[in-house]
Amino acid sequence: MLNSDHTPFEYDPNRTAMIKPPSNRQFHNRVFFGNSSAARRCFKPPTMAAFQAPSTISSSSSAFLAHNSFTLSSSKLCLPRSKPRVILKCASAPPTETAHKTKVSRNANMAKLQAGYLFPEIARRRSAHMLKYPDAKVISLGIGDTTEPIPDVITSAMAKRSHALSTIDGYSGYGAEQGEKQLRAAITSTYYGDLGIEETDVFVSDGAKCDISRLQMLFGSNVKMAVQDPSYPAYVDSSVIIGQTGQYQKDIEKFGDIEYMRCTPENGFFPDLSTTPKADIIFFCSPNNPTGAVASRDQLTQLVRFARDNGSIIIYDSAYGMYISDDSPKSIFEIPGAKEVAIEVSSFSKYAGFTGVRLGWTVVPKELLFSDGFPVAKDFNRIVCTCFNGASNIAQAGGLACLSPDGLKAMSDVINFYKENTALIVDTFTTLGFNVYGGKNAPYVWVHFPGRSSWDVFAEILEKTHLVTTPGSGFGPGGEGFIRVSSFGHRENVLEACRRLKQFYK
Ligand SMILES: Cc1ncc(COP(=O)(O)O)c(C=O)c1O
């Protein structure tokens, strides 16, 4: 039986009950008790493989929650009973013909989104693989989620703030929607020291992805968007949801009315701006997810000039800025003239392991104006006050600790750890003779398999090495023929992954 995402559900018609397919978390927790042989065959005690599985899918999976609900819920698990019998616990009732329907029509923009979205599809294939090879130790280098613990200097600050909330003096409720003054000041001085950005230009957020959607709300549906191809999927999907795009065109794997700026090894992963049509909003990410490429000062100068010439606004995503180890700009505001044409979104997620804590920021300079001269920041402030009530005060205490001297050192240690992983992965693929891109200034390695389908390569690597990667085509048609390998992983897993790759591709 299939649900709307074509996810196979196990269904027991005799009991009118369905259970969900095993998720990453649930896989080995699923226990059937009974004295039938079928039930005995179903019984699988937990194995180490179960505990290797990451419990989340990806911070990049913007459509994941919309399509799936793979959560660990004890109420959804089949638990032992004293009397042995087959138990199938109901997770949701199958739709029947008499099901009540409201008169609300589905948002047509939501219907445009592609159901077979990248990360749920990877999760589905991974689950199927684990069913096929229950004893395999599956290692994921596919998802963009951090794995290493948050440094103590940061968690201690959060714990302190949390405990203070239990006291009369330390309690605080709603804070400023734009973020706490001290944190805004610390972000300004740490990341934009002499770039002319002021504390009031900085809006603290609950993460870059959330602000990408708020920015879409700010600009509305009547703008034309341009995006790097390949790119982080949230840009395109949020653009579809807000209604900026046409339908998905299956033959070219693109949505109508979006400008896809092709980024390939041939153009140094920087689009040819001389042939790029004008767009109102240009999403640009450097260091880039997924290619790992970083834009040089000269390239960003070209981008800013392009935006100025066309009257466009750049939304610059610097979520991986701290991974830059050469002299490439860490912020778009290092480029003269950028303040009049750019917004920057950034995040503590990949610096401090805050993917679960949730904290980021967006810089909207007061110099950035709409065509009628109205400051963009004023409208963004209105969006933030209306749609967001400010980041968690505990997370903000953590953010402030991140920017203390000890916190900066601790973040840099974690980043260096991931960069050592990256070097191992780059070395492995290079030794094996592949063309490898990225990796130097980003936690992502972009490996070329010329002439092959990304999904085929993904499937081959999973089948033969029990490693999960990400097929490049999931990031846009420009990613076809590549896979993205993430360096977020424990060292022993990365070493083991490299060993398996060397064994298979030698
Ligand atoms: C390029 C890029 N931007 C933004 C995000 C989301 O960051 P956050 O966790 O702050 O929402 C990610 C997460 O993977 C990303 O890769």
Side-chain angles (χ1 to χ4, degrees):
M1 176 151 195
L2 300 178
N3 73 355
S4 57
D5 305 319
H6 310 289
T7 310
F9 275 64
E10 292 170 62
Y11 177 50
D12 175 357
N14 299 322
R15 290 164 200 271
T16 324
M18 282 199 297
I19 63 168
K20 293 185 169 202
S23 70
N24 292 336
R25 287 187 187 195
Q26 288 174 312
F27 182 75
H28 283 283
N29 292 329
R30 189 184 52 155
V31 181
F32 295 80
F33 285 84
N35 51 12
S36 72
S37 58
R40 276 196 301 275
R41 276 199 306 278
C42 282
F43 175 78
K44 289 204 171 56
T47 69
M48 276 316 288
F51 302 110
Q52 298 299 333
S55 56
T56 55
I57 298 304
S58 171
S59 54
S60 316
S61 58
S62 61
F64 180 74
L65 290 175
H67 293 297
N68 298 273
S69 50
F70 292 0
T71 50
L72 177 65
S73 159
S74 57
S75 66
K76 289 172 187 165
L77 297 178
C78 303
L79 297 171
R81 294 264 175 93
S82 49
K83 269 195 180 168
R85 62 194 164 104
V86 175
I87 299 169
L88 288 174
K89 184 104 184 184
C90 180
S92 62
T96 65
E97 283 186 9
T98 54
H100 172 79
K101 293 192 191 96
T102 69
K103 291 186 176 156
V104 180
S105 27
R106 188 174 178 206
N107 178 344
N109 294 322
M110 294 301 297
K112 286 180 198 164
L113 289 167
Q114 293 307 289
Y117 182 82
L118 178 63
F119 290 98
E121 179 60 15
I122 291 174
R124 191 189 68 73
R125 290 185 184 219
R126 176 201 170 107
S127 293
H129 183 78
M130 290 170 78
L131 275 176
K132 191 172 166 192
Y133 300 106
D135 295 324
K137 183 188 167 194
V138 175
I139 296 174
S140 179
L141 299 179
I143 59 175
D145 198 0
T146 45
T147 55
E148 300 312 294
I150 299 173
D152 185 62
V153 57
I154 300 165
T155 50
S156 303
M158 288 195 279
K160 197 168 158 209
R161 182 70 173 265
S162 172
H163 286 306
L165 292 175
S166 304
T167 66
I168 293 283
D169 288 343
Y171 176 76
S172 63
Y174 290 124
E177 289 91 340
Q178 304 80 2
E180 293 174 3
K181 187 175 163 43
Q182 238 187 319
L183 179 58
R184 295 173 90 187
I187 291 171
T188 309
S189 59
T190 306
Y191 294 106
Y192 308 100
D194 50 3
L195 301 178
I197 297 297
E198 292 177 11
E199 190 185 306
T200 49
D201 299 334
V202 175
F203 295 80
V204 175
S205 74
D206 52 349
K209 188 188 253 184
C210 315
D211 263 358
I212 288 164
S213 287
R214 287 185 205 114
L215 287 167
Q216 295 284 22
M217 192 182 290
L218 168 75
F219 292 113
S221 57
N222 281 333
V223 290
K224 166 123 185 180
M225 209 257 274
V227 66
Q228 288 156 293
D229 176 25
S231 68
Y232 176 54
Y235 313 140
V236 169
D237 279 7
S238 58
S239 173
V240 174
I241 290 171
I242 208 79
Q244 293 164 4
T245 75
Q247 293 293 340
Y248 186 71
Q249 298 158 20
K250 270 210 165 66
D251 49 340
I252 52 170
E253 296 174 350
K254 293 179 181 176
F255 286 94
D257 298 329
I258 295 189
E259 191 52 44
Y260 288 75
M261 305 184 294
R262 195 47 90 94
C263 295
T264 62
E266 289 71 37
N267 62 18
F269 297 101
F270 187 79
D272 180 357
L273 296 177
S274 68
T275 58
T276 303
K278 167 186 175 321
D280 300 303
I281 307 296
I282 304 167
F283 274 94
F284 198 94
C285 176
S286 177
N288 188 269
N289 177 9
T291 65
V294 70
S296 67
R297 195 167 301 273
D298 180 51
Q299 288 171 331
L300 290 181
T301 303
Q302 287 176 44
L303 183 69
V304 166
R305 191 176 312 126
F306 180 75
R308 292 185 76 93
D309 290 349
N310 290 310
S312 315
I313 293 179
I314 301 164
I315 298 179
Y316 189 78
D317 187 334
S318 65
Y320 299 96
M322 279 183 81
Y323 285 76
I324 294 177
S325 44
D326 61 21
D327 63 355
S328 308
K330 293 188 172 68
S331 162
I332 189 72
F333 300 119
E334 290 183 38
I335 308 301
K339 284 203 287 289
E340 288 90 12
V341 294
I343 289 171
E344 183 162 305
V345 291
S346 204
S347 171
F348 288 95
S349 281
K350 310 298 166 84
Y351 301 169
F354 269 30
T355 50
V357 173
R358 310 302 306 145
L359 194 70
W361 70 91
T362 291
V363 179
V364 189
K366 71 193 91 32
E367 290 86 349
L368 183 68
L369 306 176
F370 285 113
S371 55
D372 63 358
F374 195 82
V376 174
K378 280 200 168 178
D379 272 359
F380 188 62
N381 187 54
R382 186 67 190 263
I383 295 274
V384 164
C385 292
T386 304
C387 311
F388 177 53
N389 256 342
S392 144
N393 43 22
I394 298 168
Q396 292 192 71
L400 202 52
C402 287
L403 303 180
S404 68
D406 286 350
L408 285 167
K409 161 88 174 63
M411 284 201 293
S412 139
D413 288 347
V414 175
I415 289 169
N416 284 337
F417 174 85
Y418 291 129
K419 288 178 72 133
E420 285 166 14
N421 282 351
T422 317
L424 291 167
I425 296 166
V426 167
D427 179 64
T428 298
F429 281 103
T430 310
T431 310
L432 290 167
F434 290 96
N435 281 327
V436 180
Y437 304 94
K440 189 163 167 262
N441 295 299
Y444 300 119
V445 182
W446 192 237
V447 189
H448 202 186
F449 291 77
R452 295 197 59 195
S453 129
S454 305
W455 277 109
D456 285 353
V457 176
F458 165 88
E460 174 180 275
I461 293 177
L462 182 60
E463 178 67 24
K464 303 293 183 192
T465 67
H466 306 304
L467 302 179
V468 180
T469 57
T470 310
S473 57
F475 298 96
E480 186 56 286
F482 291 85
I483 55 156
R484 187 194 76 174
V485 186
S486 150
S487 65
F488 295 122
H490 302 314
R491 180 61 47 80
E492 64 274 20
N493 284 350
V494 171
L495 286 169
E496 170 63 12
C498 292
R499 196 193 59 71
R500 290 185 199 171
L501 286 164
K502 281 183 181 155
Q503 176 83 18
F504 177 58
Y505 284 113
K506 68 176 179 237

